[in-house]
Amino acid sequence: MSLSSIHTIANLGAGTMGHATALQFALHGYPVYLLDTDSTALQRGMAAIQHDLTTFQETDLLTEDPAVILARIQPTTDNATALTSADFVIESVVEDLTVKQQVWQTVEQFVGPEVLCATNTSGLSPTAIQETLTHPERFVVAHFWNPAQLMPLVEVVPGEHTSKATVDTTVALMNHIGKHAVPLQKESLGFVGNRIQLAVLREALHIIDDGIATPEAVDDIIKYSLGRRWSLVGPVASADLGGLDIFKNISAYLYADLANDTGTDPALTKKVAANQLGLKTGQGFYNWTGDAGKQVVAQRDRDLLNLLKTDQEHH
Ligand SMILES: NC(=O)C1=CN([C@@H]2O[C@H](COP(=O)(O)OP(=O)(O)OC[C@H]3O[C@@H](n4cnc5c(N)ncnc54)[C@H](O)[C@@H]3O)[C@@H](O)[C@H]2O)C=CC1
Ligand SMILES: O=C(O)[C@@H](O)C(=O)[C@H](O)[C@@H](O)CO
């Protein structure tokens, strides 16, 4: 399946990620069937799509009437309606391997062998899903970042049975819908982004747990140093610019002192046991009661939208 042969999208899951990936395809002209098993989730997803469209409109990022874009998205709870005419299927259902295996086995009952199939898993093995498929060669990971309509990156990750053509066409399609697609050479749990995100988080939580710095100080330090620099020059190039001999010398004494827990993170375990899940329960490492969460997310999204505008001006 080539990029020019892809005309219709089936988008499984209308939640946090699925609503946003459906919008991303519709923003770039594709008719999208938005499939969810839960009709309430479907309604919530459509409302979120309309909200996100408004924020794009407010920042002059839309090139079409929002009503035209919205009309491209057809919500449905019916597999046949969503899948029968799809040329590309993107899935954002619950992060559970067994559920994903079942979902993809169902998809294969409705789509031909040439239809490309992509999961937006955060880090599960694509090979583990491919083991249950009739046509594993057309299956791949397309890992978006939250919020998917505002974050450029999509990691395209092959499983052991994924064809090169599947990777190449998926990269081309992601770039065609305005994302920044990066193919991996082979799969790894957590791919690249989440391996680095979780390694940094493990160390950050160790620093907090050890009484070295507060959550606010850790976040400030990253925002005004590595976060600023890495958004311009990545960590590997930064090491080159700083001098690999210096980084080697630092590694000699620091690596042994870094957090190296191998089980579930102890700080996260404590928070989850206390039902302090972050924004969703009003308390995590920060207090999110009242409008705190809405204000932070709204400001983040405004800043991300302005960065998207800058990206567009530079392309
Ligand atoms: N939340 C995040 O920050 C990110 C999540 N992801 C991944 O995206 C996937 C979805 O995550 P979220 O959107 O956060 O989950 P979510 O819980 O917000 O949405 C999942 C949706 O899938 C629907 N669903 C469940 N089974 C289904 C089925 N058989 N067919 C169709 N729809 C079904 C649910 O009704 C729900 O609306 C997961 O694999 C997750 O790891 C990837 C990047 C970031
Ligand atoms: O952080 C993100 O947006 C994504 O890379 C993820 O997959 C996260 O791990 C997400 O699943 C948890 O917030």
Side-chain angles (χ1 to χ4, degrees):
M1 175 79 72
S2 64
L3 177 61
S4 59
S5 310
I6 298 174
H7 305 290
T8 303
I9 308 297
N11 189 107
L12 278 58
T16 303
M17 297 305 284
H19 90 273
T21 55
L23 174 57
Q24 194 69 30
F25 280 103
L27 281 168
H28 289 82
Y30 288 95
V32 181
Y33 288 99
L34 178 59
L35 172 70
D36 204 298
T37 44
D38 177 343
S39 55
T40 307
L42 213 44
Q43 288 165 8
R44 267 202 314 267
M46 288 305 292
I49 286 168
Q50 289 185 292
H51 166 269
D52 294 346
L53 262 178
T54 307
T55 57
F56 275 94
Q57 197 175 6
E58 287 162 358
T59 44
D60 302 326
L61 274 168
L62 292 189
T63 55
E64 289 182 287
D65 180 335
V68 170
I69 297 166
L70 194 59
R72 292 194 180 111
I73 301 174
Q74 181 180 325
T76 179
T77 56
D78 179 63
N79 282 327
T81 304
L83 295 163
T84 308
S85 56
D87 307 303
F88 186 89
V89 185
I90 176 76
E91 166 267 313
S92 293
V93 305
V94 62
E95 185 75 344
D96 176 296
L97 181 59
T98 306
V99 172
K100 289 189 186 293
Q101 288 171 329
Q102 291 164 347
V103 165
W104 284 110
Q105 286 175 294
T106 301
V107 168
E108 282 207 309
Q109 294 168 20
F110 293 90
V111 301
E114 76 293 345
V115 171
L116 296 190
C117 295
T119 175
N120 178 28
T121 177
S122 290
L124 291 171
S125 163
T127 303
I129 298 173
Q130 284 177 317
E131 304 300 1
T132 64
L133 300 183
T134 308
H135 295 282
E137 70 284 353
R138 48 85 172 279
F139 185 82
V140 72
V141 173
H143 176 226
F144 290 74
W145 285 67
N146 185 22
Q149 79 283 7
L150 300 177
M151 295 289 280
L153 180 68
V154 178
E155 291 172 287
V156 179
V157 185
E160 285 172 18
H161 312 291
T162 307
S163 71
K164 183 178 183 308
T166 295
V167 173
D168 293 348
T169 303
T170 303
V171 167
L173 178 62
M174 294 298 110
N175 289 333
H176 185 66
I177 63 170
K179 308 311 279 184
H180 180 89
V182 181
L184 273 59
Q185 293 165 283
K186 65 176 183 179
E187 74 174 87
S188 71
L189 280 183
F191 314 139
V192 170
N194 268 332
R195 292 180 77 88
I196 293 173
Q197 177 170 227
L198 273 290
V200 169
L201 185 61
R202 176 173 63 180
E203 189 55 40
L205 298 182
H206 169 72
I207 286 166
I208 293 162
D209 213 36
D210 220 15
I212 299 167
T214 64
E216 292 81 357
V218 170
D219 282 349
D220 246 18
I221 287 164
I222 294 301
K223 276 164 58 178
Y224 291 97
S225 66
L226 296 177
R228 181 70 62 93
R229 191 164 74 192
W230 284 356
S231 72
L232 304 168
V233 181
V236 178
S238 293
D240 264 3
L241 297 179
L244 299 184
D245 52 337
I246 311 299
F247 279 85
K248 171 185 170 288
N249 294 342
I250 297 168
S251 69
Y253 64 80
L254 191 49
Y255 271 24
D257 199 54
L258 295 177
N260 60 4
D261 311 78
T262 53
T264 305
D265 186 279
L268 293 178
T269 302
K270 207 157 70 176
K271 284 292 181 191
V272 172
N275 197 38
Q276 294 183 353
L277 309 184
L279 179 59
K280 62 174 77 169
T281 58
Q283 182 64 46
F285 291 98
Y286 292 85
N287 182 309
W288 298 101
T289 51
D291 275 348
K294 275 190 192 153
Q295 286 166 10
V296 168
V297 170
Q299 186 58 54
R300 176 201 69 181
D301 289 0
R302 276 193 297 274
D303 293 342
L304 287 172
L305 278 162
N306 288 329
L307 287 170
L308 274 185
K309 280 179 80 170
T310 307
D311 289 347
Q312 284 186 0
E313 285 153 13
H314 287 174
H315 284 165

